[in-house]
Amino acid sequence: MKNVMEFEGGYQAVITYDPEIEMFRGEFVGLNGGADFYAKDAESLKREGKTSLDVFLRMCAEDGVSPRKVQGKFALRLPPDVYHSAMVAAAAEGKSLNAFITDAVRQVMAG
Protein backbone atom coordinates (compact mmCIF):
# COMPACT_ATOMS: atom_id res chain seq x y z
CA MET A 1 0.00 0.00 0.00
CA LYS A 2 1.13 3.51 -0.75
CA ASN A 3 2.49 5.50 2.19
CA VAL A 4 2.19 2.59 4.62
CA MET A 5 5.17 1.25 6.53
CA GLU A 6 5.00 -2.30 7.89
CA PHE A 7 6.42 -3.27 11.28
CA GLU A 8 6.98 -6.56 13.07
CA GLY A 9 3.79 -8.07 14.46
CA GLY A 10 1.64 -6.81 11.61
CA TYR A 11 1.58 -3.21 12.86
CA GLN A 12 1.26 -0.52 10.20
CA ALA A 13 1.94 3.20 10.13
CA VAL A 14 0.75 5.75 7.60
CA ILE A 15 3.57 8.02 6.44
CA THR A 16 3.09 11.66 5.48
CA TYR A 17 5.44 14.56 4.88
CA ASP A 18 5.22 17.69 7.01
CA PRO A 19 6.67 20.58 4.98
CA GLU A 20 6.59 22.96 7.96
CA ILE A 21 9.23 20.97 9.81
CA GLU A 22 10.67 19.26 6.72
CA MET A 23 10.26 15.79 8.20
CA PHE A 24 8.34 12.62 7.53
CA ARG A 25 5.72 11.65 10.09
CA GLY A 26 4.57 8.13 10.79
CA GLU A 27 1.37 7.41 12.65
CA PHE A 28 0.41 3.90 13.69
CA VAL A 29 -3.15 2.96 12.85
CA GLY A 30 -5.44 0.52 14.60
CA LEU A 31 -3.87 1.02 18.02
CA ASN A 32 -5.69 1.46 21.28
CA GLY A 33 -3.99 4.83 21.68
CA GLY A 34 -1.68 7.16 19.81
CA ALA A 35 1.85 6.41 18.67
CA ASP A 36 3.66 8.53 16.11
CA PHE A 37 7.23 9.27 15.09
CA TYR A 38 9.26 11.68 12.94
CA ALA A 39 12.42 11.44 10.86
CA LYS A 40 14.16 13.03 7.87
CA ASP A 41 14.79 9.85 5.84
CA ALA A 42 13.43 6.33 5.35
CA GLU A 43 16.06 4.50 7.42
CA SER A 44 15.60 6.87 10.36
CA LEU A 45 11.84 6.58 9.97
CA LYS A 46 12.04 2.78 10.31
CA ARG A 47 14.26 3.06 13.37
CA GLU A 48 12.09 5.74 15.04
CA GLY A 49 8.94 3.78 14.22
CA LYS A 50 10.30 0.64 15.86
CA THR A 51 11.27 2.62 18.95
CA SER A 52 7.87 4.32 19.15
CA LEU A 53 6.04 1.01 18.74
CA ASP A 54 8.25 -0.72 21.34
CA VAL A 55 7.49 2.03 23.88
CA PHE A 56 3.77 1.86 23.11
CA LEU A 57 3.66 -1.94 23.43
CA ARG A 58 5.62 -1.86 26.70
CA MET A 59 3.21 0.72 28.16
CA CYS A 60 0.22 -1.41 27.11
CA ALA A 61 1.76 -4.47 28.76
CA GLU A 62 2.44 -2.52 31.96
CA ASP A 63 -1.16 -1.23 32.03
CA GLY A 64 -2.70 -4.57 31.05
CA VAL A 65 -4.31 -3.03 27.96
CA SER A 66 -4.64 -4.62 24.53
CA PRO A 67 -2.49 -2.64 22.07
CA ARG A 68 -4.93 -3.06 19.19
CA LYS A 69 -8.37 -1.54 18.86
CA VAL A 70 -11.24 -3.96 18.74
CA GLN A 71 -12.34 -3.51 15.17
CA GLY A 72 -15.13 -4.57 12.91
CA LYS A 73 -17.97 -2.14 13.59
CA PHE A 74 -18.48 1.38 12.40
CA ALA A 75 -21.41 3.54 11.38
CA LEU A 76 -21.57 4.31 7.69
CA ARG A 77 -23.68 7.23 6.57
CA LEU A 78 -24.61 7.21 2.90
CA PRO A 79 -26.62 9.71 0.91
CA PRO A 80 -30.16 8.34 0.41
CA ASP A 81 -29.67 7.66 -3.31
CA VAL A 82 -26.42 5.73 -2.72
CA TYR A 83 -28.00 3.77 0.12
CA HIS A 84 -30.97 2.80 -2.03
CA SER A 85 -28.77 1.79 -4.98
CA ALA A 86 -26.54 -0.28 -2.70
CA MET A 87 -29.58 -2.03 -1.16
CA VAL A 88 -30.90 -2.91 -4.61
CA ALA A 89 -27.49 -4.11 -5.83
CA ALA A 90 -26.99 -6.22 -2.68
CA ALA A 91 -30.43 -7.80 -3.01
CA ALA A 92 -29.79 -8.52 -6.68
CA GLU A 93 -26.66 -10.45 -5.67
CA GLY A 94 -28.51 -12.25 -2.87
CA LYS A 95 -26.39 -10.56 -0.20
CA SER A 96 -27.03 -8.47 2.86
CA LEU A 97 -26.03 -4.82 2.57
CA ASN A 98 -23.23 -5.50 5.06
CA ALA A 99 -21.83 -8.37 2.95
CA PHE A 100 -22.14 -6.28 -0.21
CA ILE A 101 -20.21 -3.36 1.29
CA THR A 102 -17.62 -5.70 2.84
CA ASP A 103 -17.01 -7.26 -0.59
CA ALA A 104 -16.72 -3.81 -2.18
CA VAL A 105 -14.13 -2.71 0.38
CA ARG A 106 -12.16 -5.95 -0.10
CA GLN A 107 -12.12 -5.40 -3.88
CA VAL A 108 -10.80 -1.87 -3.48
CA MET A 109 -8.12 -3.02 -1.01
CA ALA A 110 -7.02 -5.84 -3.34
CA GLY A 111 -6.77 -3.61 -6.39
Side-chain angles (χ1 to χ4, degrees):
M1 254 183 263
K2 206 179 218 186
N3 300 332
V4 175
M5 188 174 275
E6 304 280 338
F7 289 86
E8 189 175 321
Y11 294 96
Q12 298 173 311
V14 173
I15 309 302
T16 56
Y17 181 72
D18 187 335
E20 289 183 24
I21 59 173
E22 296 183 346
M23 293 182 84
F24 292 98
R25 176 178 187 257
E27 181 177 8
F28 285 98
V29 293
L31 297 183
N32 209 0
D36 62 352
F37 51 100
Y38 293 84
K40 290 202 176 261
D41 59 68
E43 281 307 309
S44 299
L45 202 58
K46 289 176 189 176
R47 186 174 53 253
E48 293 299 320
K50 182 181 179 333
T51 300
S52 178
L53 181 60
D54 289 347
V55 168
F56 180 81
L57 294 175
R58 186 176 66 246
M59 290 174 59
C60 287
E62 288 172 3
D63 295 342
V65 174
S66 171
R68 295 185 191 267
K69 282 184 184 176
V70 176
Q71 304 208 4
K73 290 185 177 186
F74 73 99
L76 177 63
R77 291 183 250 326
L78 298 171
D81 61 318
V82 174
Y83 177 77
H84 179 76
S85 296
M87 276 188 356
V88 170
E93 291 187 21
K95 296 179 181 179
S96 68
L97 184 57
N98 186 71
F100 181 79
I101 290 172
T102 298
D103 289 348
V105 171
R106 281 190 178 127
Q107 286 177 6
V108 168
M109 298 306 298

Coordinates of all heavy atoms in Angstrom, one line a residue, residues 54-109:
D54 N 7.8 0.0 20.2 CA 8.2 -0.7 21.3 C 7.8 0.0 22.6 O 7.4 -0.7 23.6 CB 9.8 -0.9 21.3 CG 10.3 -1.8 20.2 OD1 9.4 -2.6 19.7 OD2 11.5 -1.8 20.0
V55 N 7.9 1.3 22.7 CA 7.5 2.0 23.9 C 6.0 1.9 24.1 O 5.5 1.6 25.2 CB 7.9 3.5 23.8 CG1 7.2 4.4 24.8 CG2 9.4 3.7 23.8
F56 N 5.2 2.0 23.0 CA 3.8 1.9 23.1 C 3.4 0.5 23.6 O 2.6 0.3 24.5 CB 3.1 2.1 21.8 CG 1.6 2.0 21.8 CD1 0.8 3.1 22.3 CD2 1.0 0.9 21.3 CE1 -0.5 2.9 22.3 CE2 -0.4 0.7 21.4 CZ -1.1 1.8 21.9
L57 N 4.0 -0.6 23.0 CA 3.7 -1.9 23.4 C 4.1 -2.2 24.9 O 3.3 -2.9 25.6 CB 4.3 -2.9 22.5 CG 3.8 -2.9 21.0 CD1 4.7 -3.9 20.2 CD2 2.3 -3.3 21.0
R58 N 5.2 -1.7 25.3 CA 5.6 -1.9 26.7 C 4.6 -1.2 27.7 O 4.2 -1.8 28.7 CB 7.0 -1.3 26.9 CG 7.6 -1.6 28.3 CD 9.0 -1.1 28.5 NE 9.1 0.3 28.5 CZ 9.7 1.0 27.5 NH1 10.4 0.4 26.6 NH2 9.8 2.3 27.6
M59 N 4.2 0.0 27.3 CA 3.2 0.7 28.2 C 1.9 -0.1 28.2 O 1.3 -0.2 29.3 CB 3.0 2.1 27.6 CG 4.2 3.0 27.9 SD 4.0 4.7 27.1 CE 2.5 5.3 27.9
C60 N 1.5 -0.6 27.1 CA 0.2 -1.4 27.1 C 0.4 -2.6 28.0 O -0.5 -3.0 28.8 CB -0.1 -1.9 25.7 SG -0.8 -0.5 24.6
A61 N 1.5 -3.3 27.9 CA 1.8 -4.5 28.8 C 1.8 -4.1 30.2 O 1.2 -4.8 31.1 CB 3.1 -5.1 28.4
E62 N 2.4 -3.0 30.6 CA 2.4 -2.5 32.0 C 1.1 -2.2 32.5 O 0.7 -2.4 33.7 CB 3.4 -1.3 32.1 CG 4.8 -1.6 31.9 CD 5.7 -0.4 31.9 OE1 5.1 0.8 32.0 OE2 6.9 -0.5 31.7
D63 N 0.2 -1.6 31.6 CA -1.2 -1.2 32.0 C -2.2 -2.3 31.9 O -3.4 -2.2 32.2 CB -1.6 0.0 31.2 CG -0.8 1.2 31.5 OD1 -0.1 1.3 32.6 OD2 -0.8 2.2 30.7
G64 N -1.8 -3.5 31.3 CA -2.7 -4.6 31.0 C -3.8 -4.3 30.0 O -4.9 -4.7 30.1
V65 N -3.4 -3.5 29.0 CA -4.3 -3.0 28.0 C -3.9 -3.7 26.6 O -2.7 -3.8 26.3 CB -4.2 -1.5 27.8 CG1 -5.1 -1.0 26.6 CG2 -4.7 -0.8 29.1
S66 N -4.9 -4.1 25.9 CA -4.6 -4.6 24.5 C -4.1 -3.5 23.6 O -4.7 -2.4 23.6 CB -5.9 -5.2 23.9 OG -5.7 -5.5 22.6
P67 N -3.0 -3.7 22.9 CA -2.5 -2.6 22.1 C -3.3 -2.3 20.8 O -3.3 -1.2 20.3 CB -1.1 -3.2 21.6 CG -1.1 -4.6 21.9 CD -2.2 -4.9 22.9
R68 N -4.1 -3.3 20.4 CA -4.9 -3.1 19.2 C -6.4 -2.7 19.5 O -6.9 -3.2 20.5 CB -4.9 -4.3 18.3 CG -3.6 -4.6 17.8 CD -3.7 -5.8 16.8 NE -2.4 -6.4 16.4 CZ -1.7 -6.0 15.4 NH1 -2.2 -5.1 14.6 NH2 -0.5 -6.5 15.1
K69 N -7.0 -1.8 18.7 CA -8.4 -1.5 18.9 C -9.2 -2.8 18.5 O -8.8 -3.5 17.6 CB -8.8 -0.4 17.9 CG -8.4 1.0 18.3 CD -8.9 2.0 17.3 CE -8.5 3.4 17.7 NZ -8.9 4.3 16.7
V70 N -10.3 -2.9 19.2 CA -11.2 -4.0 18.7 C -11.9 -3.4 17.5 O -12.5 -2.3 17.6 CB -12.3 -4.3 19.8 CG1 -13.3 -5.3 19.3 CG2 -11.5 -4.8 21.1
Q71 N -11.8 -4.1 16.4 CA -12.3 -3.5 15.2 C -13.4 -4.4 14.6 O -13.6 -5.5 15.0 CB -11.2 -3.4 14.2 CG -10.1 -2.5 14.7 CD -9.3 -1.8 13.7 OE1 -9.6 -1.9 12.6 NE2 -8.3 -1.1 14.1
G72 N -14.1 -3.8 13.6 CA -15.1 -4.6 12.9 C -16.4 -3.9 12.8 O -17.2 -4.2 11.9
K73 N -16.7 -2.9 13.7 CA -18.0 -2.1 13.6 C -17.7 -0.7 13.4 O -16.8 -0.1 14.0 CB -18.8 -2.3 14.9 CG -19.3 -3.7 15.1 CD -20.2 -3.7 16.3 CE -20.8 -5.1 16.5 NZ -21.8 -5.1 17.6
F74 N -18.5 -0.1 12.5 CA -18.5 1.4 12.4 C -19.8 1.8 11.7 O -20.4 1.0 11.0 CB -17.2 1.9 11.6 CG -17.3 1.7 10.2 CD1 -17.7 2.7 9.3 CD2 -16.9 0.4 9.6 CE1 -17.7 2.4 7.9 CE2 -16.9 0.2 8.3 CZ -17.3 1.2 7.4
A75 N -20.2 3.0 12.0 CA -21.4 3.5 11.4 C -21.0 4.1 10.0 O -20.1 4.9 9.9 CB -22.0 4.6 12.3
L76 N -21.8 3.8 9.0 CA -21.6 4.3 7.7 C -22.8 5.1 7.3 O -23.9 4.6 7.2 CB -21.3 3.1 6.7 CG -21.2 3.5 5.3 CD1 -19.9 4.4 5.1 CD2 -21.1 2.2 4.4
R77 N -22.6 6.4 7.0 CA -23.7 7.2 6.6 C -23.5 7.4 5.1 O -22.5 7.9 4.6 CB -23.6 8.6 7.3 CG -24.0 8.4 8.8 CD -24.0 9.8 9.5 NE -23.0 10.1 10.4 CZ -22.4 9.4 11.3 NH1 -22.6 8.1 11.3 NH2 -21.5 9.9 12.1
L78 N -24.6 7.1 4.4 CA -24.6 7.2 2.9 C -25.7 8.2 2.5 O -26.8 8.2 3.2 CB -24.9 5.9 2.2 CG -23.9 4.7 2.5 CD1 -24.4 3.4 1.9 CD2 -22.6 5.1 1.8
P79 N -25.5 8.9 1.4 CA -26.6 9.7 0.9 C -27.8 8.8 0.5 O -27.5 7.6 0.2 CB -26.0 10.4 -0.3 CG -24.6 10.3 -0.2 CD -24.3 9.1 0.6
P80 N -29.0 9.2 0.7 CA -30.2 8.3 0.4 C -30.1 7.6 -0.9 O -30.4 6.4 -1.0 CB -31.4 9.3 0.5 CG -30.9 10.4 1.4 CD -29.4 10.5 1.1
D81 N -29.7 8.3 -2.0 CA -29.7 7.7 -3.3 C -28.6 6.6 -3.4 O -28.8 5.5 -4.0 CB -29.4 8.7 -4.4 CG -28.1 9.4 -4.3 OD1 -27.7 9.8 -3.2 OD2 -27.5 9.6 -5.3
V82 N -27.5 6.8 -2.7 CA -26.4 5.7 -2.7 C -26.9 4.5 -1.9 O -26.7 3.4 -2.3 CB -25.1 6.3 -2.2 CG1 -24.0 5.2 -2.0 CG2 -24.6 7.4 -3.1
Y83 N -27.5 4.8 -0.7 CA -28.0 3.8 0.1 C -29.0 2.9 -0.6 O -28.9 1.7 -0.6 CB -28.6 4.4 1.4 CG -29.3 3.4 2.3 CD1 -28.5 2.6 3.1 CD2 -30.6 3.2 2.3 CE1 -29.0 1.6 4.0 CE2 -31.2 2.3 3.2 CZ -30.4 1.5 4.0 OH -31.0 0.6 4.8
H84 N -29.9 3.5 -1.3 CA -31.0 2.8 -2.0 C -30.3 1.9 -3.1 O -30.7 0.8 -3.3 CB -32.0 3.8 -2.6 CG -33.1 3.0 -3.4 ND1 -34.1 2.3 -2.8 CD2 -33.3 2.9 -4.7 CE1 -34.9 1.8 -3.7 NE2 -34.4 2.1 -4.9
S85 N -29.4 2.5 -3.9 CA -28.8 1.8 -5.0 C -28.0 0.6 -4.4 O -28.0 -0.5 -5.0 CB -27.8 2.7 -5.8 OG -28.6 3.7 -6.4
A86 N -27.3 0.8 -3.3 CA -26.5 -0.3 -2.7 C -27.5 -1.4 -2.2 O -27.2 -2.6 -2.4 CB -25.7 0.3 -1.6
M87 N -28.6 -1.0 -1.6 CA -29.6 -2.0 -1.2 C -30.1 -2.9 -2.3 O -30.2 -4.1 -2.2 CB -30.8 -1.4 -0.5 CG -30.6 -1.0 1.0 SD -32.1 -0.5 1.8 CE -33.3 -0.3 0.6
V88 N -30.4 -2.2 -3.4 CA -30.9 -2.9 -4.6 C -29.8 -3.8 -5.2 O -30.1 -5.0 -5.5 CB -31.4 -1.9 -5.7 CG1 -31.7 -2.6 -7.0 CG2 -32.6 -1.2 -5.2
A89 N -28.6 -3.3 -5.3 CA -27.5 -4.1 -5.8 C -27.2 -5.3 -4.9 O -26.9 -6.4 -5.4 CB -26.2 -3.2 -6.0
A90 N -27.2 -5.1 -3.6 CA -27.0 -6.2 -2.7 C -28.1 -7.3 -2.8 O -27.8 -8.5 -2.9 CB -26.9 -5.7 -1.2
A91 N -29.3 -6.9 -2.9 CA -30.4 -7.8 -3.0 C -30.3 -8.6 -4.3 O -30.6 -9.8 -4.4 CB -31.8 -7.1 -2.9
A92 N -29.9 -7.9 -5.4 CA -29.8 -8.5 -6.7 C -28.7 -9.6 -6.7 O -28.8 -10.6 -7.4 CB -29.5 -7.5 -7.7
E93 N -27.7 -9.4 -5.8 CA -26.7 -10.4 -5.7 C -27.0 -11.5 -4.6 O -26.1 -12.3 -4.3 CB -25.3 -9.8 -5.4 CG -24.8 -9.0 -6.6 CD -23.4 -8.5 -6.4 OE1 -22.7 -9.0 -5.5 OE2 -23.0 -7.5 -7.1
G94 N -28.1 -11.3 -3.9 CA -28.5 -12.2 -2.9 C -27.7 -12.1 -1.6 O -27.4 -13.0 -0.9
K95 N -27.2 -10.8 -1.4 CA -26.4 -10.6 -0.2 C -27.1 -9.5 0.7 O -27.9 -8.8 0.3 CB -25.1 -10.0 -0.7 CG -24.2 -10.9 -1.5 CD -22.9 -10.1 -1.9 CE -22.0 -11.0 -2.8 NZ -20.8 -10.3 -3.2
S96 N -26.6 -9.5 2.0 CA -27.0 -8.5 2.9 C -26.3 -7.2 2.4 O -25.2 -7.3 1.8 CB -26.7 -8.8 4.3 OG -25.3 -8.8 4.5
L97 N -26.7 -6.1 2.9 CA -26.0 -4.8 2.6 C -24.6 -4.8 3.2 O -23.7 -4.4 2.6 CB -26.8 -3.6 3.1 CG -26.3 -2.2 2.7 CD1 -26.1 -2.0 1.3 CD2 -27.2 -1.2 3.3
N98 N -24.5 -5.4 4.4 CA -23.2 -5.5 5.1 C -22.3 -6.3 4.2 O -21.1 -5.9 4.0 CB -23.4 -6.1 6.4 CG -22.1 -6.1 7.2 OD1 -21.6 -5.0 7.6 ND2 -21.5 -7.2 7.4
A99 N -22.7 -7.5 3.8 CA -21.8 -8.4 3.0 C -21.5 -7.7 1.6 O -20.3 -7.8 1.2 CB -22.5 -9.7 2.7
F100 N -22.4 -7.0 1.1 CA -22.1 -6.3 -0.2 C -21.1 -5.2 0.0 O -20.1 -5.1 -0.8 CB -23.5 -5.6 -0.7 CG -23.3 -4.9 -2.0 CD1 -23.3 -5.6 -3.2 CD2 -23.2 -3.5 -2.0 CE1 -23.2 -4.9 -4.4 CE2 -23.1 -2.8 -3.2 CZ -23.1 -3.5 -4.4
I101 N -21.2 -4.4 1.0 CA -20.2 -3.4 1.3 C -18.9 -4.0 1.7 O -17.8 -3.5 1.3 CB -20.7 -2.4 2.3 CG1 -21.9 -1.6 1.7 CG2 -19.7 -1.4 2.8 CD1 -22.7 -0.7 2.7
T102 N -18.9 -5.0 2.5 CA -17.6 -5.7 2.8 C -16.9 -6.2 1.6 O -15.7 -6.0 1.5 CB -17.9 -6.9 3.8 OG1 -18.5 -6.4 5.0 CG2 -16.6 -7.7 4.1
D103 N -17.6 -6.8 0.7 CA -17.0 -7.3 -0.6 C -16.5 -6.1 -1.4 O -15.4 -6.2 -2.0 CB -18.0 -8.0 -1.4 CG -18.4 -9.4 -0.8 OD1 -17.7 -9.8 0.1 OD2 -19.4 -10.0 -1.3
A104 N -17.2 -5.0 -1.4 CA -16.7 -3.8 -2.2 C -15.4 -3.3 -1.6 O -14.5 -2.9 -2.3 CB -17.8 -2.7 -2.2
V105 N -15.3 -3.2 -0.3 CA -14.1 -2.7 0.4 C -13.0 -3.7 0.1 O -11.9 -3.2 -0.2 CB -14.3 -2.5 1.9 CG1 -13.0 -2.2 2.6 CG2 -15.3 -1.4 2.1
R106 N -13.2 -5.0 0.2 CA -12.2 -5.9 -0.1 C -11.6 -5.8 -1.5 O -10.4 -5.9 -1.8 CB -12.7 -7.4 0.1 CG -12.7 -7.8 1.5 CD -13.0 -9.3 1.7 NE -13.0 -9.6 3.1 CZ -14.0 -10.2 3.7 NH1 -15.1 -10.6 3.0 NH2 -14.0 -10.5 5.0
Q107 N -12.5 -5.6 -2.5 CA -12.1 -5.4 -3.9 C -11.2 -4.2 -4.0 O -10.2 -4.2 -4.7 CB -13.3 -5.3 -4.8 CG -14.1 -6.6 -5.0 CD -15.3 -6.4 -5.8 OE1 -15.6 -5.3 -6.4 NE2 -16.1 -7.5 -6.0
V108 N -11.6 -3.1 -3.4 CA -10.8 -1.9 -3.5 C -9.4 -2.1 -2.8 O -8.4 -1.7 -3.4 CB -11.5 -0.7 -2.8 CG1 -10.6 0.5 -2.6 CG2 -12.8 -0.3 -3.6
M109 N -9.4 -2.8 -1.7 CA -8.1 -3.0 -1.0 C -7.2 -4.0 -1.8 O -6.0 -3.8 -1.7 CB -8.4 -3.6 0.4 CG -9.2 -2.7 1.3 SD -8.5 -1.0 1.5 CE -6.9 -1.4 2.2

